[in-house]
Amino acid sequence: VPQDVVGVGLLGAGTVGSALVELLTREALRERVGVGVKLVRIAVAHPDKPRPAWVPRELLSFDPNEVVEDPAVEVVVELMGGLEPARSVLLKALEAKKPVVTANKELLARHGGELFAAAAKAGVDLLFEAAVGGAIPLVRPLRESLAGERIHRVMGIVNGTTNYILTKMSEDGMSYADALAEAQQRGYAERDPSADVEGRDAAAKAAILASIAFGVEVDLADVSVEGITALTLEDIQFAKRSGFEVKLVAVAERVSDGEPPELSVRVHPAMISRSHPLASVRGVHNAVFIEGDAVGELMLLGRGAGGAPTAAAVLGDLIDAAHNLRMGAASRSPIRRPARIQPLAEQSSCFCVSVAVADRPGVLAAVAGVFGANRVSIRSMEQVDLGREARLVFVTHEAKEADMSATLAGLRHLEPVDKVGALLRVVG
Ligand SMILES: NC(=O)c1ccc[n+]([C@@H]2O[C@H](COP(=O)([O-])OP(=O)(O)OC[C@H]3O[C@@H](n4cnc5c(N)ncnc54)[C@H](OP(=O)(O)O)[C@@H]3O)[C@@H](O)[C@H]2O)c1
């Protein structure tokens, strides 16, 4: 084992970057893991921004290129976020045979192919444990421990903001708007929460999970996405009464065999049976549930975001990269074959949808008729009387997505129908 110190260039010292700097000042890594890491330079954007006392000002640079090009920098850790300049400077680092550690899910979901090819060509590491599930070791278990496993499905709660909002709605009876406001107040949601609540953050993670679980190249554009903005407290209370919790899930699933297999990759709100382990994942926690041939079922749970938890995952990667560099080795680069993605319309599921209607004779038959006309068979129906209106909540048997969207379109055109609520897929 190399008793040595590796020079590190850090790009970004914000929430995660400054937490990493603090971990590095605390941990005596060299004694414990056999290789030390030394911060050589740190790139930030704003010269005058106040920073924690432990971020050494003498190492600051305002040009990420300068950091990557510094001969004393042997490994590059990217915690700036965004697509550019992150993409260009990381390509430059890899071309110079400097291993890279990043937490940038957006960059990997958009330009992963190009970056992994550059890492493979240079024969150096490109590690990204922190990009999905924050502190939860997910990438390494999927890539290494389960490398030989035939995985059927990876289903996760991978966005803490939306899980916090849904937990508040379910447990405290809060409206969507109030739960979102509380999440923002507590720093769990950003001022512009759209990337979280519209499911785009989860979609980037779904693409990354699908890539590593199935060894394929999945682009962000391959992921079908629905967020939680249309969900109401009534949807969540109905689910609860029926023995379910509503969660925003990211799913990567093998739908048919072949090499590469055909996959479904999607993000949407789901009604999860309370007996399923994912139903009990509360608040800002994240979890990923993995189903495979030999392992059966497996769940990993923990803090999905936050400075220190995310920095802990970055640090693990950094130690690996430093160690591999000294050994003249690199982790196996992920296999990324072109993926076959099943269009959402061809997928099947059981659905739950609520419909607000005028409360008068014949309406129920007309509404039920729309389901039947589109080959969607109803499994159960609950009616809530609200004076001159009624809320009908339907749960269907398994049906095709295409048939269900035709049903929703038909319902929206039906005269006594006031409002068609959010569509929930039923899990378990
Ligand atoms: N926060 C989390 O909980 C979390 C969890 C998982 C993954 N991640 C990922 O980790 C990455 C970092 O997130 P964060 O929350 O730490 O972000 P952040 O707090 O906004 O920090 C970004 C840092 O990068 C610097 N920076 C931005 N653009 C730059 C540029 N063009 N040149 C030089 N420096 C630049 C900023 O400089 P200034 O300090 O001068 O502004 C800041 O120090 C993102 O990819 C994010 O998706 C974050």
Side-chain angles (χ1 to χ4, degrees):
V1 180
Q3 288 289 336
D4 203 350
V5 176
V6 171
V8 176
L10 175 61
L11 309 178
T15 307
V16 184
S18 64
L20 177 68
V21 177
E22 194 188 15
L23 287 182
L24 287 174
T25 59
R26 279 207 311 232
E27 292 297 320
L29 293 176
R30 194 168 157 192
E31 292 68 33
R32 193 153 55 84
V33 301
V35 60
V37 293
K38 181 175 187 295
L39 269 177
V40 176
R41 302 221 72 184
I42 304 173
V44 292
H46 303 97
D48 300 324
K49 194 161 148 183
R51 302 183 191 281
W54 61 81
V55 176
R57 300 199 74 87
E58 66 279 10
L59 301 187
L60 295 187
S61 157
F62 305 99
D63 178 5
N65 286 291
E66 190 183 72
V67 173
V68 167
E69 285 161 10
D70 187 325
V73 167
E74 297 172 275
V75 177
V76 173
V77 177
E78 187 274 307
L79 298 169
M80 294 189 292
L83 297 180
E84 285 295 350
R87 174 184 154 271
S88 327
V89 289
L90 293 190
L91 285 171
K92 184 181 281 180
L94 294 168
E95 273 157 26
K97 299 198 185 303
K98 298 185 181 186
V100 166
V101 174
T102 180
N104 193 333
K105 61 217 144 208
E106 197 192 355
L107 179 66
L108 291 173
R110 293 276 179 78
H111 299 295
E114 185 183 21
L115 290 161
F116 286 112
K121 187 163 169 228
V124 297
D125 282 330
L126 168 55
L127 303 178
F128 54 98
E129 184 60 74
V132 192
I136 310 170
L138 252 181
V139 175
R140 205 168 266 105
L142 277 169
R143 239 168 90 162
E144 296 176 13
S145 322
L146 300 174
E149 177 67 0
R150 188 174 186 280
I151 290 172
H152 300 301
R153 180 158 73 161
V154 178
M155 178 163 65
I157 294 171
V158 293
N159 181 274
T161 307
T162 47
N163 204 50
Y164 181 83
I165 293 171
L166 295 173
T167 304
K168 283 283 152 186
M169 291 171 80
S170 170
E171 293 181 6
D172 299 345
M174 285 173 101
S175 70
Y176 171 76
D178 288 348
L180 171 59
E182 187 177 303
Q184 283 170 320
Q185 208 180 1
R186 302 188 66 164
Y188 296 148
E190 292 180 31
R191 197 126 37 98
D192 173 8
S194 57
D196 291 320
V197 297
E198 288 168 12
R200 291 197 304 277
D201 171 80
K205 293 165 178 170
I208 296 172
L209 282 176
S211 302
I212 42 181
F214 297 101
V216 292
E217 170 109 38
V218 178
D219 189 83
L220 197 49
D222 294 326
V223 186
S224 51
V225 191
E226 281 167 38
I228 64 165
T229 51
L231 287 174
T232 63
L233 184 57
E234 285 73 30
D235 293 324
I236 283 159
Q237 285 171 336
F238 168 79
K240 241 184 138 166
R241 277 200 302 282
S242 317
F244 292 82
E245 290 291 339
V246 176
K247 299 287 182 191
L248 182 71
V249 292
V251 188
E253 187 173 23
R254 180 192 292 270
V255 289
S256 70
D257 281 323
E259 281 310 324
E262 189 177 14
L263 303 180
S264 157
V265 189
R266 55 191 202 265
V267 169
H268 54 69
M271 257 171 66
I272 300 185
S273 163
R274 209 166 289 138
S275 61
H276 192 287
L278 282 176
S280 59
V281 178
R282 303 173 56 247
V284 290
H285 276 98
N286 282 197
V288 172
F289 190 77
I290 301 167
E291 294 158 72
D293 248 1
V295 289
E297 297 173 342
L298 184 63
M299 188 161 95
L300 301 158
L301 177 143
R303 292 294 299 257
T310 308
V314 174
L315 181 56
D317 277 353
L318 176 56
I319 292 168
D320 244 12
H323 188 273
N324 285 343
L325 187 70
R326 283 295 178 261
M327 303 296 280
S331 309
R332 270 176 301 111
S333 37
I335 304 288
R336 291 171 71 97
R337 304 164 290 179
R340 295 190 298 143
I341 305 288
Q342 187 187 49
L344 185 68
E346 287 171 27
Q347 288 159 32
S348 299
S349 182
C350 297
F351 297 93
C352 171
V353 67
S354 76
V355 187
V357 295
D359 198 0
R360 49 172 208 256
V363 169
L364 179 56
V367 169
V370 177
F371 284 81
N374 290 292
R375 294 168 298 275
V376 179
S377 131
I378 295 166
R379 182 194 185 105
S380 72
M381 198 276 292
E382 184 190 273
Q383 175 165 355
V384 184
D385 286 317
L386 308 162
R388 289 167 51 205
E389 278 221 329
R391 236 169 61 84
L392 308 175
V393 188
F394 294 93
V395 177
T396 75
H397 285 289
E398 191 161 310
K400 276 255 154 70
E401 289 272 353
D403 294 338
M404 194 62 210
S405 27
T407 304
L408 297 184
L411 289 173
R412 288 193 188 101
H413 282 109
L414 205 63
E415 188 272 317
V417 171
D418 237 16
K419 187 170 171 255
V420 179
L423 185 65
L424 290 164
R425 279 95 183 157
V426 183
V427 173

